Amino acid sequence: MKNNHNLLEVSNINSKDALYKKLIYNVEDFFLNDDSELSKEFEHLCICSGGTTSSCAKNGLITLDLRKNYNKIHLERETNIVTIGGGVIMGDLMNYLEKHNRSFPIGLSKLPGAGYILTGGISPLSRSYGLAIDNIESIKGFLGNGKFISLKKNQISRDKQLIWEAIKGAAPFFSIITEIGLRTIQSYPIQIIEGFINSNELSEIIKLSEGFPANISLQWIYAKKIYIYIVAEFKDDLEKEGIKENLLTLKKFSTLEQKFYGNLNEINFFAKELELFELNSKNHSEVISLLGEDLKNDVPIFIKYLNEIMDNKPNNSCYVASQQLGFKTKQLNHGSSFFVHRKSTWKPWIYASWKKNDLQEKEVVMDWMYKSWSKLKRFYPNIHLAQLHNHLNSHREELQLAFGNRIEELKTLKNICDPQSILPPL
Ligand SMILES: Cc1cc2nc3c(=O)[nH]c(=O)nc-3n(C[C@H](O)[C@H](O)[C@H](O)COP(=O)(O)OP(=O)(O)OC[C@H]3O[C@@H](n4cnc5c(N)ncnc54)[C@H](O)[C@@H]3O)c2cc1C
């Protein structure tokens, strides 16, 4: 076991505090020197890319930190395809692309790494540009059995077709991805409408948002108070006019402010200054992400449930938030993937947080998370497996609700590609 001087410098506090067994930086080294370091039952290798989840380091397990040796970014100007290492974080990708007037549909934070892309990747711009996985052009990496793989869209042989599809949404279970080729997008200005609202106003705005065109999306957070971001991208004056018309109704909400940005990279969602929730480095947390379709007539009952959930939150850091997808994400986009719930138009997530050494509070908070999940299942029956929970009792159910009728294919693939289960278990 490591002492406190050897903890992993990552943003997720659970992983930061983990007493990992060993830190390695090279995939090849792991496979070449593997003298059964992962011998014990239930042990597996932890992979760290952005380091934003509770899975990138765990007590007594080895972490492969991709940030040191897999951090290159290169844009090919002729094709506008950017190649990134498996340890690149979205903020660095965006800063690099901004210099070339290009962009990528990253999520609501610049902190996540390749895990964002490989688990689907839902952006405020996804309604126009699809999920992050829909923009993957190529990958390089290693299967759990140590075999090197290099795959390119449109050049996939039949025997690699299932691997290619599973990389898009389920890669962490059977592969270590060291390089990803991504289609980039032209950078356009963004209009944001943001501010604090009450739950009646949220109800009205959700109803309105379910009629938004592809270039507008709503994201909200219900923490101490409710805060919303309406994100609208416009390519020209005509689209700017369209946005104005679509958002005319919002004029009556006096707390909402309108802002303009040169591109997506300039925006910082959930800024610290807003004090939306208690940011406490002494807390540990878990997050569960759900998926479902438009609420339509269920908006009032959903808001009632949401108020009940928030009234019962056991710690000031706990919150529920949601982001909107749909339009382009409903299409298959260059072939099948393991993001199976393509009909989804909302991804809410429940953030559960407790004082890190308070096991009693942890139990209460996790109970709140599971009860809140149960309440929201009626509206959002599926799971977006953006966070791996193989250390939690809900893992099996989450797998089933994330991969639906493709779960058996994934298990078969894991048996072949990762027979010793060196990567997170299914
Ligand atoms: C502040 C914040 C905002 C977020 N916003 C969004 C959002 O808007 N949309 C959205 O879809 N998600 C969002 N997420 C969720 C986030 O994208 C996922 O949790 C993602 O898995 C984090 O990836 P990471 O590389 O940062 O995490 P890590 O903790 O480094 O990795 C998580 C796991 O992913 C797997 N993994 C990572 N990299 C690789 C690799 N190269 N090869 C194989 N497996 C790998 C490993 O199993 C690893 O343990 C957000 C998360 C945070 C913390």
Side-chain angles (χ1 to χ4, degrees):
M1 288 269 173
K2 297 277 164 185
N3 61 34
N4 282 345
H5 302 294
N6 279 328
L7 301 177
L8 196 62
E9 265 315 309
V10 287
S11 56
N12 183 278
I13 313 289
N14 304 41
S15 290
K16 196 174 182 167
D17 289 337
L19 301 166
Y20 59 81
K21 180 158 126 189
K22 185 177 167 185
L23 200 54
I24 54 172
Y25 301 99
N26 250 320
V27 190
E28 284 97 335
D29 286 355
F30 173 74
F31 287 115
L32 288 175
N33 299 334
D34 181 20
D35 44 6
S36 298
E37 280 185 301
L38 297 178
S39 51
K40 272 193 238 144
E41 225 184 329
F42 303 123
E43 269 200 12
H44 65 84
L45 182 64
C46 294
I47 310 291
C48 177
S49 180
T52 61
T53 76
S54 58
S55 301
C56 65
K58 287 184 178 168
N59 287 348
L61 300 192
I62 300 173
T63 284
L64 168 60
D65 188 349
L66 296 171
R67 295 174 300 172
K68 193 172 163 193
N69 294 334
Y70 305 92
N71 55 13
K72 300 232 165 22
I73 309 175
H74 174 73
L75 177 73
E76 199 182 275
R77 283 308 333 214
E78 299 81 61
T79 57
N80 279 323
I81 289 172
V82 70
T83 307
I84 64 167
V88 165
I89 64 163
M90 295 304 104
D92 289 343
L93 170 63
M94 291 300 266
N95 289 340
Y96 176 95
L97 290 178
E98 194 174 16
K99 292 185 202 134
H100 302 275
N101 201 23
R102 304 295 295 174
S103 186
F104 187 75
I106 64 158
L108 295 163
S109 165
K110 290 166 191 162
L111 294 177
Y116 166 75
I117 297 166
L118 298 171
T119 57
I122 299 167
S123 166
L125 302 186
S126 279
R127 286 157 67 84
S128 294
Y129 300 107
L131 302 169
I133 49 168
D134 300 331
N135 295 287
I136 297 182
E137 290 285 318
S138 64
I139 60 100
K140 283 185 185 164
F142 294 82
L143 299 175
N145 58 17
K147 224 169 139 183
F148 176 75
I149 43 161
S150 173
L151 302 175
K152 246 192 182 136
K153 198 178 85 183
N154 301 332
Q155 296 175 25
I156 309 289
S157 58
R158 269 183 74 179
D159 62 321
K160 296 287 185 311
Q161 182 60 29
L162 187 59
I163 295 183
W164 176 248
E165 290 178 15
I167 291 281
K168 298 186 282 175
F173 293 105
F174 66 94
S175 63
I176 302 165
I177 303 302
T178 52
E179 194 181 291
I180 314 174
L182 296 167
R183 190 173 43 227
T184 60
I185 56 178
Q186 172 74 39
S187 209
Y188 290 109
I190 309 259
Q191 179 180 346
I192 298 271
I193 311 246
E194 64 176 273
F196 289 102
I197 53 169
N198 63 38
S199 62
N200 290 333
E201 291 166 336
L202 179 64
S203 177
E204 218 177 305
I205 291 172
I206 290 176
K207 252 186 238 161
L208 178 75
S209 71
E210 292 189 344
F212 280 167
N215 63 336
I216 310 181
S217 67
L218 168 70
Q219 11 283 309
W220 56 259
I221 181 166
Y222 193 153
K224 282 183 192 163
K225 291 191 271 178
I226 305 171
Y227 200 84
I228 64 155
Y229 291 94
I230 292 170
V231 177
E233 186 202 55
F234 54 95
K235 297 187 172 75
D236 50 36
D237 286 347
L238 198 67
E239 283 196 357
K240 201 173 172 184
E241 268 315 296
I243 291 167
K244 216 172 169 181
E245 260 170 52
N246 269 290
L247 302 183
L248 217 53
T249 334
L250 295 176
K251 281 227 159 15
K252 65 177 175 187
F253 301 113
S254 58
T255 51
L256 295 182
E257 234 186 297
Q258 182 173 277
K259 292 179 186 167
F260 287 91
Y261 295 90
N263 58 52
L264 183 63
N265 194 29
E266 289 178 7
I267 308 164
N268 280 321
F269 294 99
F270 310 127
K272 268 190 200 140
E273 304 80 79
L274 292 169
E275 294 179 1
L276 294 172
F277 47 90
E278 200 175 278
L279 272 170
N280 196 332
S281 62
K282 293 195 174 91
N283 282 5
H284 279 181
S285 60
E286 294 290 353
V287 184
I288 187 164
S289 303
L290 320 181
L291 285 170
E293 295 179 45
D294 278 357
L295 290 164
K296 293 185 180 132
N297 294 333
D298 280 341
V299 177
I301 175 93
F302 166 70
I303 295 291
K304 180 179 170 281
Y305 282 18
L306 191 59
N307 282 331
E308 284 168 14
I309 288 169
M310 295 316 292
D311 285 347
N312 289 324
K313 76 173 172 162
N315 182 300
N316 262 339
S317 300
C318 296
Y319 67 78
V320 179
S322 187
Q323 60 185 143
Q324 191 177 18
L325 52 165
F327 277 96
K328 191 82 192 280
T329 62
K330 286 187 166 183
Q331 298 160 19
L332 274 186
N333 301 319
H334 310 287
S336 198
S337 72
F338 270 58
F339 187 96
V340 300
H341 302 297
R342 286 282 173 180
K343 284 185 177 164
S344 311
T345 52
W346 291 108
K347 174 203 158 174
W349 69 97
I350 306 166
Y351 182 88
S353 180
W354 60 91
K355 286 184 278 320
K356 63 184 171 192
N357 294 319
D358 190 337
L359 292 182
Q360 219 171 346
E361 193 191 21
K362 178 181 179 182
E363 202 176 312
V364 173
V365 167
M366 290 304 285
D367 186 55
W368 171 80
M369 185 180 91
Y370 287 130
K371 283 197 174 125
S372 306
W373 176 23
S374 285
K375 256 190 151 142
L376 296 183
K377 260 186 196 159
R378 151 179 186 181
F379 314 102
Y380 308 108
N382 298 313
I383 287 287
H384 174 215
L385 212 66
Q387 295 82 12
L388 306 189
H389 288 157
N390 47 290
H391 53 287
L392 298 180
N393 293 336
S394 53
H395 184 54
R396 259 170 216 292
E397 185 179 357
E398 287 186 59
L399 286 173
Q400 191 63 49
L401 295 176
F403 299 116
N405 59 12
R406 298 208 82 171
I407 186 75
E408 290 308 319
E409 281 175 284
L410 186 57
K411 283 183 182 166
T412 307
L413 200 61
K414 181 154 176 89
N415 282 338
I416 299 166
C417 300
D418 184 22
Q420 287 171 298
S421 207
I422 66 148
L423 292 164
L426 273 176

